[in-house]
Amino acid sequence: DSGVTQTPKHLITATGQRVTLRCSPRSGDLSVYWYQQSLDQGLQFLIQYYNGEERAKGNILERFSAQQFPDLHSELNLSSLELGDSALYFCASSAGNPHYEQYFGPGTRLTVT
Amino acid sequence: KNQVEQSPQSLIILEGKNCTLQCNYTVSPFSNLRWYKQDTGRGPVSLTIMTFSENTKSNGRYTATLDADTKQSSLHITASQLSDSASYICVVSDSSGGGADGLTFGKGTHLIIQP
């Protein structure tokens, strides 16, 4: 158990809908990262927050947004969903600098039908 | 552009045998290289992290090597077990900026251990 929690575990929704994925980092970790992993694809970095502020952005679509709250939990919002958004979404956390240890959560499996 | 290439893409070996996975990178400037193990449908788990000055690092039956001159790393698994069946991901970070956008992920090697 990495100490990072993600909810829900599974999510099934229809095209055009909007969903919110939630992540709670390990106790004391200030940085939260979101990744997307499509079937048979590598991990794609989406966005990083550090202590409530956006720190780095990767290949995140304009339909997606995220935020980190004062209690350090984070939410990833996905809107106008398309079939191609079906994937595993992972959250990870670290104490600060991501160039050292990142701890990954169990992931949320999103299926768009 | 920073890149991380892993080989082979997939590998099947018999339980008890050894294997070596490769990672070649063109990330610059180099900060560190890490190997993750990812079981199917689960989050990646860190196996080793190596900085520029480290040539070898072990974690149980897993041994990672790093050649910073040739920009190559390998992950050697000794006496494989069925539980080693997973994807192994190589991640290289550059030393610029400090944000997660400085991480470059390989696509992984899918390892299957057969009894």
Side-chain angles (χ1 to χ4, degrees), chain A residues 18-96:
Chain A
R18 172 190 168 94
V19 297
T20 297
L21 313 184
R22 183 188 168 102
C23 168
S24 292
R26 290 189 326 150
S27 177
D29 283 357
L30 298 177
S31 277
V32 169
Y33 316 81
W34 286 99
Y35 294 90
Q36 179 193 56
Q37 188 175 43
S38 302
L39 191 65
D40 294 331
Q41 294 295 312
L43 284 163
Q44 298 289 323
F45 166 64
L46 296 178
I47 197 163
Q48 174 197 355
Y49 279 83
Y50 176 80
N51 203 20
E53 301 284 331
E54 183 183 302
R55 178 66 178 85
K57 221 170 199 179
N59 301 319
I60 188 166
L61 299 172
E62 284 192 13
R63 300 184 285 109
F64 296 179
S65 65
Q67 58 184 132
Q68 186 179 28
F69 294 86
D71 67 353
L72 300 178
H73 91 271
S74 178
E75 292 181 355
L76 178 67
N77 301 297
L78 315 176
S79 61
S80 303
L81 285 167
E82 302 175 358
L83 295 178
D85 297 327
S86 295
L88 268 168
Y89 290 84
F90 289 105
C91 169
S93 74
S94 72

Side-chain angles (χ1 to χ4, degrees), chain A residues 37 48 55 98-102, chain B residues 32 34 38 46 93 97-98 100:
Chain A
Q37 188 175 43
Q48 174 197 355
R55 178 66 178 85
H99 295 265
Y100 293 93
E101 191 68 68
Q102 283 190 47
Chain B
N32 63 58
R34 66 192 85 174
Q38 184 179 21
S46 179
S93 62

